[in-house]
């Protein structure tokens, strides 16, 4: 309890401990702003932004090194800069071009996945880029989608499969969208009602009702994958309902659902309210999986390139700070208030620090329970597309590679290397690293074979 009028051992403070700020959240924001202004962090964040962009262009380090050895640092920077909407990558990392639009609205759902996008507001990262950003708490993902299509929002917090679905016209008019960065990796869980503590085997879940936040979500795809591996058909043996994340715990407590695969902090909130327990973290299904993304429409990027770069820089700077474990407790204080997540600080801190109660009497220590790696790998997009195909959301033949590169990356390194007269190696893995989901390797070069390998599917 922050303010306890009946605690004789603590002063009754209606402000922060130092007395200079209106609240503990304001005090934490001030401390993080001070850290962000240090020469050490400024150099680190500029390097982080530039490294992220170069990594996007050269997903395989061997290509990057070969390119640099062939043309040299200065020529490489000029060449890469010529295909991006600014003078150079250094300009993207540090310099500021004239902004086409300064007043922006960015949508977000109140979950910890949106941490970089949210914290950039109270920490002044948008303002530092010359932007006047209003971060708008939004009720659900369908509303986020509609407001982006209708241009009511300039950019938004997306579920990472959403830009793929919107671009393909799944569930909404086809509108080209781009993923600028992944907002978070991991950070989700399967939470079950406390009445099911004796049903830890998913094969026992026949007839269960589950909630996910949206059809085109990693939550839906991971839940389907998990129960199908246990031999259940997610369309016939269980029910999957779309429920906005802030309503999941109440539905669990009321018995309307048996569990949910949802975003934090609501898994931890269910434990906090003794309504549920954490069955497993989704990192145990696929460690490093993407969940949410920061993105905008292709049209916005084309019309407002410098504004987009400024937004990109602000959000990546926040991601650089969020990735550091030493900042996580302070960040929990900053994003806890009503304007943002509206959650008890202790709930958010358990998620971000990875030291948490699981609702089964254990205290777990999982430092990478949630992370904020911004790299939008193309193979992640291909996996999402395979699951859309597997479960019947996506019909007919799919050019996985074409869709992934159109939505998840802004440019193509190979094309620009060829323009420089360089021999481009036949590097089929570039941008498409393999990974494992529940122990099964995913090779993005064999996407259709992957879909066909599953016994339970709609395709």
């Amino acid at each position: 309890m922050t303010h306890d009028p009946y605690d004789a051992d603590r002063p009754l403070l209606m402000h922060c401990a130092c007395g200079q700020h209106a609240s503990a959240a304001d005090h934490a924001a001030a401390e993080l702003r001070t850290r962000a202004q240090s020469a050490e962090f400024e150099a680190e964040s500029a390097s982080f932004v530039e490294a992220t962009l170069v990594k996007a262009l050269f997903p395989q380090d061997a290509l990057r090194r070969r390119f640099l050895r062939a043309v040299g640092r200065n020529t490489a920077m000029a060449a890469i800069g010529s295909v991006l909407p600014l003078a150079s990558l250094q300009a993207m990392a540090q310099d500021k071009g004239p902004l086409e639009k300064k007043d922006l609205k960015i949508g977000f759902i109140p979950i910890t996945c949106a941490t970089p996008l949210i914290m950039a507001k109270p920490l002044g990262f948008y303002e530092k880029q010359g932007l006047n950003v209003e971060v708008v708490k939004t009720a659900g993902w369908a509303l986020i989608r509609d407001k982006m299509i209708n241009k009511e929002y300039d950019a938004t917090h997306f579920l990472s499969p959403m830009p793929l679905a919107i671009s393909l016209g799944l569930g909404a008019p086809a509108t080209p969208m781009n993923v600028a960065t992944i907002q978070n990796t991991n950070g989700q869980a399967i939470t079950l009602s406390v009445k099911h503590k004796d049903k830890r085997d998913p094969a026992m879940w026949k007839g269960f009702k589950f909630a996910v936040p949206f059809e085109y979500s990693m939550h839906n795809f991971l839940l389907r994958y998990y129960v199908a591996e246990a031999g259940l058909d997610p369309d016939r043996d269980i029910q999957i309902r779309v429920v906005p994340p802030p309503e999941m715990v109440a539905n669990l407590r009321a018995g309307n659902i048996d569990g949910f695969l949802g975003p934090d902090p609501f898994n931890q909130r269910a434990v906090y309210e003794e309504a549920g327990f954490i069955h497993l973290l989704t990192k145990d299904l696929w460690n490093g999986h993407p969940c949410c993304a920061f993105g905008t429409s292709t049209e916005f990027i084309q019309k407002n390139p410098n504004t987009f770069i400024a937004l990109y820089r602000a959000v990546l700077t926040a991601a650089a700070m969020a990735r550091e474990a030493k900042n996580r407790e302070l960040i929990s204080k900053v994003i806890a208030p009503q304007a943002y997540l509206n959650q008890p600080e202790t709930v958010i801190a358990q998620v971000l620090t990875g030291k948490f109660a699981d609702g089964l009497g254990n205290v777990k220590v999982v430092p990478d329970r949630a992370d904020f790696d911004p790299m939008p790998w193309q193979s992640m997009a291909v996996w999402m597309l395979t699951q859309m195909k597997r479960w019947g959301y996506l019909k007919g033949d799919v050019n996985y590679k074409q869709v992934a590169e159109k939505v998840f990356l802004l440019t193509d390194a190979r094309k620009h290397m060829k323009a420089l007269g360089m021999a481009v190696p036949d590097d089929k893995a570039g941008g498409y690293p393999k990974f494992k989901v529940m122990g099964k390797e995913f090779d993005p070069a064999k996407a259709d074979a992957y879909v066909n390998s599953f016994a339970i599917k709609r395709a």
Side-chain angles (χ1 to χ4, degrees):
M1 185 181 295
T2 305
H3 308 297
D4 185 353
Y6 304 106
D7 188 342
D9 297 320
R10 295 177 60 189
L12 183 58
L13 300 176
M14 302 305 290
H15 45 70
C16 74
C18 77
Q20 297 179 26
H21 306 96
S23 67
D26 289 345
H27 179 94
E31 172 61 26
L32 287 171
R33 281 195 295 270
T34 298
R35 294 183 187 181
Q37 290 165 4
S38 69
E40 178 185 4
F41 180 76
E42 289 205 354
E44 179 183 336
S45 64
S47 175
F48 182 82
V49 171
E50 192 161 356
T52 298
L53 294 162
V54 173
K55 193 173 182 182
L57 289 168
F58 298 96
Q60 287 205 328
D61 200 51
L63 280 178
R64 178 187 64 84
R65 286 181 281 131
R66 189 177 300 143
F67 180 51
L68 290 174
R69 290 191 187 109
V71 303
R73 179 186 182 90
N74 292 336
T75 301
M77 290 178 67
I80 293 169
S82 70
V83 301
L84 292 169
L86 71 168
S88 69
L89 282 180
Q90 192 63 33
M92 185 178 276
Q94 296 177 353
D95 299 337
K96 298 177 181 178
L99 301 178
E100 301 85 3
K101 187 175 183 179
K102 294 183 179 180
D103 297 330
L104 305 173
K105 283 189 176 182
I106 300 178
F108 77 94
I109 301 292
I111 55 180
T112 52
C113 304
T115 293
L117 185 155
I118 295 171
M119 63 182 273
K121 174 66 174 178
L123 297 189
F125 292 162
Y126 296 124
E127 186 180 10
K128 187 176 180 181
Q129 302 304 326
L131 299 170
N132 177 30
V133 170
E134 179 185 0
V135 289
V136 186
K137 187 187 294 188
T138 310
W141 293 109
L143 192 56
I144 287 274
R145 176 199 61 203
D146 295 345
K147 285 182 176 290
M148 281 300 296
I149 290 173
N150 295 332
K151 303 180 184 179
E152 294 177 54
Y153 289 164
D154 297 288
T156 195
H157 169 202
F158 276 128
L159 292 163
S160 52
M162 284 177 66
L164 294 165
I166 297 171
S167 296
L168 290 167
L170 302 179
T175 307
M177 295 284 167
N178 284 106
V179 169
T181 72
I182 295 297
Q183 279 282 280
N184 73 297
T185 54
N186 298 335
Q188 325 299 308
I190 295 177
T191 296
L192 294 179
S193 168
V194 289
K195 67 184 179 183
H196 294 313
K197 287 185 178 181
D198 61 339
K199 295 184 176 70
R200 300 301 305 281
D201 182 350
M204 303 171 69
W205 294 355
K206 192 168 185 177
F208 275 26
K209 298 172 184 176
F210 284 93
V212 296
F214 198 61
E215 279 192 308
Y216 299 103
S217 68
M218 289 297 294
H219 312 84
N220 185 26
F221 300 150
L222 288 173
L223 177 62
R224 286 171 170 273
Y225 196 107
Y226 183 62
V227 299
E229 289 296 294
L232 298 183
D233 187 317
D235 292 314
R236 296 165 182 164
D237 294 327
I238 64 171
Q239 293 184 36
I240 300 178
R241 303 173 176 178
V242 171
V243 176
E247 299 175 17
M248 286 181 170
V249 177
N251 275 275
L252 190 70
R253 189 190 306 108
N256 297 329
I257 55 175
D258 296 284
F260 58 85
L261 199 160
D264 275 313
F266 297 104
N267 301 290
Q268 203 59 51
R269 184 65 188 259
V271 174
Y272 179 81
E273 295 191 10
E274 300 182 348
F277 66 94
I278 295 175
H279 171 67
L280 60 75
L281 301 177
T282 51
K283 74 174 289 293
D284 296 329
L285 304 180
W286 170 5
N287 192 12
H289 73 80
C291 182
C292 291
F294 170 65
T296 186
S297 67
T298 305
E299 180 183 349
F300 180 87
I301 297 172
Q302 291 170 345
K303 289 184 176 180
N304 306 282
N306 291 329
T307 297
F308 171 71
I309 295 308
L311 265 178
Y312 197 10
R313 188 164 47 231
V315 174
L316 281 180
T317 300
M321 176 162 276
R323 294 207 79 187
E324 294 187 22
K326 66 182 181 182
N327 295 325
R328 297 285 183 90
E329 288 195 16
L330 287 176
I331 290 170
S332 300
K333 296 178 186 291
V334 170
I335 65 177
Q338 188 274 335
Y340 303 120
L341 298 193
N342 194 28
Q343 295 289 329
E345 178 195 319
T346 183
V347 170
I348 300 171
Q350 287 185 74
V351 173
L352 294 186
T353 64
K355 185 177 181 180
F356 61 94
D358 67 359
L360 294 169
N362 307 304
V363 174
K364 299 288 188 71
V365 179
V366 186
D368 58 348
R369 172 178 177 172
D371 202 0
F372 303 95
D373 184 347
M375 194 60 237
W377 295 110
Q378 293 167 332
S379 53
M380 293 175 172
V382 173
W383 187 86
M384 296 171 205
L385 292 168
T386 66
Q387 300 309 294
M388 293 182 197
K389 181 72 178 292
R390 177 183 181 184
W391 300 116
Y393 296 105
L394 194 53
K395 309 290 186 182
D397 294 335
V398 182
N399 190 329
Y400 298 97
K401 186 172 183 290
Q402 182 184 71
V403 176
E405 292 180 3
K406 186 175 181 180
V407 177
F408 266 55
L409 289 181
L410 301 178
T411 190
D412 182 354
R414 291 190 194 87
K415 179 176 69 177
H416 305 302
M417 289 172 71
K418 288 179 180 177
L420 292 170
M422 294 182 62
V424 180
D426 183 16
D427 180 23
K428 294 181 180 179
Y432 295 89
K434 298 178 183 179
F435 46 79
K436 290 185 178 181
V437 181
M438 292 189 69
K440 182 175 181 176
E441 185 176 76
F442 172 61
D443 183 348
K446 301 175 181 177
D448 276 324
Y450 184 74
V451 174
N452 294 329
S453 71
F454 295 104
I456 302 175
K457 57 182 180 294
R458 299 283 86 78

